[in-house]
Amino acid sequence: MSLSFLTMARMLFLRKDRLLLVLALSALLGADIYFHLWPEIQIRLSRDCDCKNHSSPMESTTAYVQLSTTSYVGSKLQHLFSHPLYQEQGTKSIDQDLLLNPQEAIYIYKKRVASLNRRRRTRHNELNYTSPLIDARFEVYAPWLQFHLGISKTALYPRSSSVVDRLLGRMSNMTIIGADYSADEKALNGECDCSQIVKPSGTHLKLIMRFEDFGKAMLKPMRQSREEQTQEDVFYFVDYQRHNAEIAAFHLDRILDFRRVPPVAGRLVNVTREILEVTSNTELQSVFFVSPAQNVCFFAKCLYMCKTEYAVCGNPHMLEASFAVFLPSLTFAPRLSVPNPWIRSYTFTGKEEWEKNPFYCNSIKQLHPYSKPQRLLNMMDLAIFDFLTGNMDRHHYEIFTKFGDDGFLLHLDNARGFGQHNRDEISILAPLYQCCLVREDTWQRLNLLALPDYQLSDVMRESLSRDHLETVLTEPHLAALDRRLQKVLQTVTQCVQRYGEEAVLIKKQTIPVNDGQRKTSR
C-alpha cells in the first residue's frame, strides 16, 4: 500500500514538472512572438501598404495601373486611352515646341500646290492626254496639313488629336492624282548590280502617291500573304518588306503612347487606274506588264534584265498596299539620320561590338549624344518597340534637327517586322538589358498592357479592326505580342533586382548618373 502511494506521488510530481516545463516554454515563445516577430510583422505590413515609398517596382506599378481596372466590359482600346497614363498633363509653349511655323508652312504649301498644278497641266497638254485632269486643291484644314502643324518636340501628334483618325480615313479612300518612284529609287538611275545580295532594290518597291488634297503618302505593296512567315534561313537584311507590318507598327506605336510612327493606313489600290494612268513618270509606266495569269503587274526601276521576279501583281487590277503619310519636307523641316549604336552586321559572318561585349553600354554612355539621358532613354523605347514587332533591321534612326539632342526618335521603316510569330529575337533588347535603364512611364504603360482589362493583343486587335484592310495581323502574331511583352517586363524586373528601382526606372526630369563603372550585362 505504501509502495503504491509512493509510486503515484512520484508520477504526479513528474507530470507536474512537465506541466511547469510546458508553461515555461509557452511563456518564452509568447515573449519571442511579442517582442521579436510581431514588430517585424508590423514593419512588413506597413511596408506593403506604403506602396509609394517601399514596394517593389512591379507592386507599385500594378497598384497604380489597377486604379481603374475592375472587370471592364466594352471597348478595351477606349478604356486604355481614358486611363490617366494616356491623358494630357500640363500645357506646353506652342511657339517653342512646334516643328513648323503655321503661317510660314501654309504660305509655302500654297505656293507648292500652285506650282504642281502648273507642271501637271503643261505635261498633260504636251502629251495630248484626253482624260480629264484633276487639279490638286489646297485646304487649310486638310488632315495631312493639320498633322504637320501638330508635330511637336514630344511626339508626332498629341494624344487627344482627332486629326490622325481623319488622316487615316483620307488615305484609305481619297482620289489619287499622281504616282512616282521614291527619291532613293530615282537615285539608282535605272542601274542595278544584279550580283548584289544585300538589299536588291527590286524587293523594296515603293511609290510616292499624291492625293487630290495635295497630301502625300508612301505606298508599299503586298509581298507576302498574312499566313506566310519568314523562312528560318533568310537573313533579316534580305527579308521581304511587309505592308501589313507597316500598318501594325503604327497602331502598336500609338498604343504604347510613343507616337513616333507616322500614321499608316491600308488600302486596296487599282494599279491600272490609280498608278499607271496617273503617273507622269515614263520609266514607271514602262515597267507595267500583264502576267500570264492576266494580272496587271509592275516592278522596280531596274528593268527586265534581272528584276521581273520581284514584280507585284494585282488581282487582276486590285492590290493591297500600305499608305504612310509623308513628314514635312526636308527643306524646311530637316532631319538627321543617325546610325544605330546597336546596328547589326550586314554580312553573313560578321559581328558588331555590342554582340561580343556585354559591357558595351558603358562605352556608349560616354559618347555624345548618349551621354545625355534623353537620347539613351529614347533608344530603350525603340528597342522595346522593335522587339515587340520582331524588327531586326534598325540600322539607322532619324531625328528632327530643330529639336536637337532632346528630340524624340522617329520610328520609320517598320516593314521588316512581324515576319515570324514563333520566334522572339532577344538580342533586339540588347540596349535594354545592357544599359538597364527605362522611363518609368514606359514601364507603367507596359505593365498596364499586361493586365487582362487591357491586354496588348486585345487592344491591338481592336485598333487594327478599324483599318480598311481585313486581318492586318493573324492571331499567332497577336499572341506573340503578349508573350514578348512578358519578356520585356522580365528583363526590366531583372535589372531592378540587380541595381535597384531608382537606378533603372527613370522618372521625368530625373537625370541618371552616368556610371561608366557599372558592369551591366545579361
Side-chain angles (χ1 to χ4, degrees), residues 99-100 104-105 108-109 112 144-145 147-149 151 210 214 216 325-336 398-402 410:
L99 176 67
L100 303 179
E104 179 184 352
I108 292 175
Y109 281 132
R112 291 187 174 186
W144 68 266
L145 177 56
F147 166 70
H148 284 187
L149 298 180
I151 298 174
R210 177 74 73 178
F214 195 66
K216 194 164 62 169
V325 66
F326 262 63
L327 294 171
S329 170
L330 294 173
T331 57
F332 64 105
R335 303 192 301 271
L336 180 66
E398 294 188 26
I399 59 172
F400 290 111
T401 55
K402 176 180 178 178
L410 289 162

Side-chain angles (χ1 to χ4, degrees), residues 64 68 108 131 155 219 288 383 401 411 459:
Y64 180 72
S68 58
I108 292 175
S131 58
L219 175 150
F288 275 80
T401 55
H411 298 180
V459 292

Side-chain angles (χ1 to χ4, degrees), residues 188-343:
L188 292 171
N189 196 27
E191 299 179 1
C192 291
D193 182 357
C194 299
S195 65
Q196 291 295 317
I197 296 176
V198 178
K199 292 196 170 185
S201 66
T203 63
H204 310 315
L205 175 57
K206 51 191 177 183
L207 299 174
I208 298 174
M209 311 302 289
R210 177 74 73 178
F211 298 107
E212 186 179 5
D213 68 349
F214 195 66
K216 194 164 62 169
M218 179 71 74
L219 175 150
K220 291 188 179 181
M222 179 177 181
R223 304 306 301 260
Q224 278 186 321
S225 67
R226 303 289 194 277
E227 294 73 25
E228 198 173 352
Q229 286 202 82
T230 301
Q231 298 299 313
E232 292 183 357
D233 293 330
V234 172
F235 285 88
Y236 49 87
F237 46 78
V238 291
D239 191 11
Y240 276 123
Q241 292 205 8
R242 287 167 284 274
H243 73 302
N244 62 317
E246 289 280 12
I247 300 168
F250 159 69
H251 287 263
L252 177 63
D253 175 83
R254 182 161 63 164
I255 286 170
L256 294 173
D257 198 44
F258 293 152
R259 292 167 287 135
R260 301 165 196 170
V261 175
V264 184
R267 176 166 176 163
L268 277 173
V269 181
N270 187 309
V271 296
T272 302
R273 190 178 70 250
E274 296 181 306
I275 299 179
L276 177 60
E277 294 180 0
V278 301
T279 183
S280 58
N281 187 320
T282 55
E283 292 182 346
L284 177 56
Q285 292 171 342
S286 69
V287 298
F288 275 80
F289 64 96
V290 178
S291 74
Q294 301 303 302
N295 293 322
V296 180
C297 309
F298 64 103
F299 52 94
K301 195 175 180 183
C302 296
L303 300 181
Y304 286 93
M305 57 181 179
C306 61
K307 296 303 177 187
T308 52
E309 66 269 31
Y310 296 127
V312 293
C313 300
N315 184 27
H317 299 275
M318 303 308 294
L319 174 68
E320 279 192 19
S322 65
F323 281 65
V325 66
F326 262 63
L327 294 171
S329 170
L330 294 173
T331 57
F332 64 105
R335 303 192 301 271
L336 180 66
S337 180
V338 183
N340 184 356
W342 281 269
I343 188 174

Side-chain angles (χ1 to χ4, degrees), residues 37-56:
L37 294 180
W38 178 241
E40 181 66 22
I41 291 172
Q42 287 181 312
I43 291 174
R44 293 190 179 186
L45 287 174
S46 63
R47 187 180 300 163
D48 292 339
C49 293
D50 188 7
C51 301
K52 181 177 179 181
N53 298 320
H54 303 290
S55 62
S56 69

Side-chain angles (χ1 to χ4, degrees), residues 37-90:
L37 294 180
W38 178 241
E40 181 66 22
I41 291 172
Q42 287 181 312
I43 291 174
R44 293 190 179 186
L45 287 174
S46 63
R47 187 180 300 163
D48 292 339
C49 293
D50 188 7
C51 301
K52 181 177 179 181
N53 298 320
H54 303 290
S55 62
S56 69
M58 180 65 76
E59 290 169 343
S60 61
T61 300
T62 302
Y64 180 72
V65 301
Q66 283 184 328
L67 288 176
S68 58
T69 61
T70 53
S71 302
Y72 186 80
V73 177
S75 169
K76 287 190 175 184
L77 189 64
Q78 184 178 355
H79 188 39
L80 176 72
F81 290 152
S82 65
H83 191 277
L85 284 172
Y86 288 81
Q87 300 304 304
E88 301 288 356
Q89 297 177 358

Side-chain angles (χ1 to χ4, degrees), residues 161-186:
S161 174
S162 62
V163 170
V164 170
D165 290 327
R166 292 196 292 119
L167 179 56
L168 295 175
R170 283 278 185 104
M171 289 193 293
S172 299
N173 54 39
M174 173 156 274
T175 300
I176 297 171
I177 63 171
D180 201 356
Y181 282 121
S182 62
D184 53 351
E185 189 74 24
K186 288 181 177 180

